[in-house]
Amino acid sequence: MIPVRCEPVTVDTYEAVIALDVGPGQRGFVAPNVRSLADAWAYPTADPLALLHGSELIGFALLHPSEDAPGTVSLSRYMIDRRFQGRRLGHAGLAAVLDRARAAGHTRMRLSVVPGNHVAFRLYRAAGFGETGDLDDGEIVLTRDLTPADATTSPGA
């Protein structure tokens, strides 16, 4: 399988990123990418990422370094376009995002999931995330360490 890679969203790719969409039953679980790109503009330390499988744009991720917890990065948005779902590309994309965060020197990743988003829970649990017991705006908070030797970041995880 061709691996998924992350590339910064650029002036050449932002319109295609905005056009990505989840399935109708998933729209309540993740903000539209146009909102995420606006957030990235408002927060200059954010890292908006296009997820590519070969030459195809398949998804989007948005990372925010934590101001309160040195070494921690938040995955505030993660989505795979509806046309590419069901092919384990979500797992491969998440592995690429974890690798990028690790390469940037982050040692922990934090994210939150809307209750009822069972697909996201399965994905994040398979990638080694665990619930903290905390809520963030009603969303369930999960974290995981970003240790270099961690095998759960492989695309098949």
Side-chain angles (χ1 to χ4, degrees):
M1 175 185 244
I2 301 169
V4 173
R5 69 185 188 287
C6 302
E7 292 185 1
V9 174
T10 66
V11 68
D12 295 325
T13 59
Y14 83 93
E15 288 182 3
V17 166
I18 289 170
L20 295 172
D21 197 12
V22 294
Q26 300 169 322
R27 291 198 178 115
F29 296 140
V30 65
N33 289 345
V34 69
R35 165 66 193 270
S36 298
L37 290 175
D39 288 349
W41 178 82
Y43 298 94
T45 59
D47 192 10
L49 301 169
L51 303 177
L52 297 125
H53 182 248
S55 62
E56 290 190 278
L57 176 65
I58 64 159
F60 173 76
L62 182 62
L63 295 174
H64 282 275
S66 174
E67 295 177 10
D68 301 332
T72 298
V73 64
S74 291
L75 178 59
S76 58
R77 302 291 193 301
Y78 184 77
M79 62 84 67
I80 299 295
D81 186 84
R82 68 181 176 272
R83 297 168 297 151
F84 300 98
Q85 293 179 7
R87 300 191 220 171
R88 298 198 55 85
L89 294 173
H91 292 265
L94 183 57
V97 170
L98 291 167
D99 287 343
R100 182 177 181 92
R102 189 178 298 106
H106 301 292
T107 56
R108 187 165 198 72
M109 185 173 284
R110 176 190 184 280
L111 57 86
S112 61
V113 180
V114 174
N117 189 348
H118 304 295
V119 172
F121 269 108
R122 282 193 304 273
L123 171 69
Y124 298 133
R125 298 286 293 171
F129 284 87
E131 293 181 41
T132 65
D134 295 330
L135 294 176
D136 184 3
D137 275 342
E139 295 185 9
I140 300 165
V141 176
L142 295 94
T143 62
R144 69 157 283 171
D145 289 332
L146 299 176
T147 56
D150 195 331
T152 62
T153 62
S154 68

